[in-house]
Amino acid sequence: MLPRCLRVSWALTVISFLGCAASMPSVHLGPRPFYLVDAMEESALKRELEECKGPFEAHPFSIGHRGAPLQFPEHTRESYVAAARMGAGILECDVTFTRDGELVCRHAQCDLHTTTDILTRPELASKCSEPFRPAKLGNDGTVLEPARARCCASDLTLREFKTLCGKMDASDPAAQTAEQFQGGTANWRTDLYSTCGEVLSHRESIELFQQLGTGMTPELKVADPGDVARVFGGPKTREVYAQKLIDDYRRAGIPASRVFAQSFQLDDVLYWIENEPEFGRQAVLLEDGPIPHPDPQRHLEALASEGVRIVAPSMPMLLTTGADGGIKPSEYAAAARGVGLDILSWTVERSGRLTEDVVQGGNTYYYQTVERALADDGAVFEMIDVLAQDVGIRGLFSDWPATTTFYANCKLP
C-alpha cells in the first residue's frame, strides 16, 4: 500500500499531499473531542468513538475554518498553526485586498474594527471608512443606538495592514470608547490567546501552509464593486481579482491539486473553470440557502452542466429531521449525491455550546434544521456522523479542528 501521504483522498485529487511535508507538526487533539464523546447519549456511535484511542494523524476531512477561531484570533499565524497541530488537513484563508491591491487573509473586506486592534491605533483608525462612534445609552444604561465603526482592508496599504494585531472577532455594542469596543468576546470563546495575533497576506498564508504541509482552500470574498474597480482598475475587475488569487499559487509553485479555491459567486468558479482549468476542476462553489432549497435537483444539475464539481452548502442545507426525530440527509443532500458532485460543508463548533444555542434559544443558524434532535454538546458527533456516512461529505469546516480530526481518524479511511 502507498504511504498515507500518497494515497488518493478526494475524488478529484490526483494524490493526497497530506503528511508529505517534513515540517508538518505532530497531531495533538487535547481533551475536547473526548469531552464531547463523554457528553453523548448512549449509542453504538458513542461506544465506537470511546474505543478510538489513536494515534491520530492529520486528515483532509478536517478543514480549519479560518484556522482555529474557537479560541485563537481568526486568520492569524497562531490560529493556523493551532489548527495544523490539531490535524487539520486543509486550511482556509478568506481572501480580500488592501488599498494597494495586495491580497490578505480576512473574513470580510470590512471587518478590521472587530478582528484587529485598529481602533486603538490612532494613526490607522483615522483611515477607517467610518470612525468609531460611541453608543447612545439611556439613563438606565440601555443601548439606544449601538457603538459602531467600519474599517476595511481596502482602507490600508499592505504595509499598514501588517502592523495590526489580530484579536478575537467581537465588539461591545455599549462601548463608550474605542478600547471598550474591542471587547465583547463570547463567553464560550476566550481571549487567553488574543495577545497580538500576526495577520497575514495571502502570499504569507501560502508559505505557512506549505511549511505546515496542509492543503489550501482560499475563499475569494465578496467585496464592494466600487472598491474592486478602484483598486484593480480596468474592465472586468472582478475577474482580475479572481485571477490574482490563482496567480499567487502559481508564483509560489503550488500544484493545483493542493488548492481548493472557493467562492459564493458562481461567476468566480466559472471563471476559474474556463481560464484556469487545473484549479477550476476542483474549485468549490459555496452555497448558503434558501433552506430548504425549492428545487435542488434542477439547481444542482444546472451547476454540474456548467462544470462545477464541488459544492459546499451550509450544514442546514444538508440535514433535516425524520419522523422519528433523528437526523437525516436533506433533499438537497440526496440530489447532490445523485448528480455526482463532491460535497463539503460548514461550519461545526461555530456557534458555541449546543445547550446554550439550542435548548436555551440562542443563535441556532448552524443547527436550525435539526434543533429538535439535539440535546447537548455530544450531539456534535451525531451531526458529523450523518454528514460523513449518510450525506457523504468529503470535508467539514470546523472552528476547532481537533473534533473533526478525531472523527475522521476513528471513522474514515
Side-chain angles (χ1 to χ4, degrees), residues 60-84:
F61 180 85
S62 181
I63 306 174
H65 180 243
R66 316 182 202 177
L70 183 64
Q71 293 195 17
F72 290 83
E74 64 184 44
H75 292 309
T76 61
R77 180 179 296 273
E78 294 79 3
S79 189
Y80 289 133
V81 171

Side-chain angles (χ1 to χ4, degrees), residues 82-251:
R85 286 173 174 158
M86 286 186 274
I90 299 172
L91 296 175
E92 177 192 45
C93 166
D94 290 327
V95 177
T96 188
F97 53 87
T98 60
R99 190 175 72 219
D100 48 351
E102 297 298 326
L103 302 185
V104 295
C105 298
R106 286 291 95 194
H107 176 63
Q109 182 192 15
C110 298
D111 70 1
L112 298 184
H113 51 287
T114 64
T115 63
T116 76
D117 65 345
I118 189 170
L119 292 179
T120 61
R121 307 277 295 280
E123 74 283 5
L124 298 180
S126 64
K127 300 176 183 290
C128 290
S129 298
E130 296 181 23
F132 171 72
R133 187 178 70 190
K136 292 182 179 180
L137 305 178
N139 292 334
D140 61 353
T142 302
V143 177
L144 303 178
E145 193 173 312
R148 60 175 298 167
R150 187 172 186 267
C151 304
C152 308
S154 50
D155 293 333
L156 307 179
T157 64
L158 177 61
R159 184 174 182 178
E160 292 167 335
F161 172 84
K162 282 292 296 177
T163 68
L164 296 171
C165 289
K167 73 174 192 68
M168 296 300 284
D169 185 8
S171 62
D172 182 353
Q176 297 297 291
T177 67
E179 288 75 11
Q180 291 172 349
F181 189 82
Q182 302 280 279
T185 300
N187 62 10
W188 40 268
R189 289 180 173 160
T190 181
D191 287 317
L192 184 63
Y193 306 111
S194 189
T195 56
C196 188
E198 181 185 348
V199 297
L200 298 178
S201 70
H202 181 228
R203 292 184 187 180
E204 288 174 326
S205 78
I206 294 172
E207 181 180 0
L208 176 62
F209 299 171
Q210 177 82 328
Q211 293 170 357
L212 295 172
T214 67
M216 309 172 193
T217 184
E219 180 191 336
L220 193 71
K221 299 302 295 187
V222 175
D224 179 83
D227 274 353
V228 176
R230 174 176 58 82
V231 170
F232 295 106
K236 298 184 178 181
T237 50
R238 180 77 188 183
E239 294 184 1
V240 174
Y241 177 29
Q243 183 62 51
K244 188 174 179 68
L245 180 147
I246 300 299
D247 288 345
D248 279 352
Y249 292 95
R250 289 201 176 280
R251 185 177 296 107

Side-chain angles (χ1 to χ4, degrees), residues 320-393:
T320 188
T321 51
D324 61 354
I327 304 170
K328 70 172 192 176
S330 68
E331 185 180 354
Y332 178 106
R337 289 196 69 174
V339 171
L341 295 171
D342 275 342
I343 311 169
L344 311 180
S345 193
W346 49 275
T347 303
V348 73
E349 298 191 284
R350 179 72 187 158
S351 295
R353 296 179 60 224
L354 292 181
T355 50
E356 292 180 356
D357 282 352
V358 178
V359 179
Q360 298 178 20
N363 174 15
T364 61
Y365 172 81
Y366 294 98
Y367 314 120
Q368 61 186 281
T369 55
V370 293
E371 288 178 11
R372 65 192 182 102
L374 307 177
D376 52 35
D377 282 345
V380 164
F381 280 125
E382 296 173 21
M383 288 189 294
I384 295 174
D385 192 57
V386 174
L387 287 167
Q389 305 299 332
D390 300 331
V391 176
I393 67 170

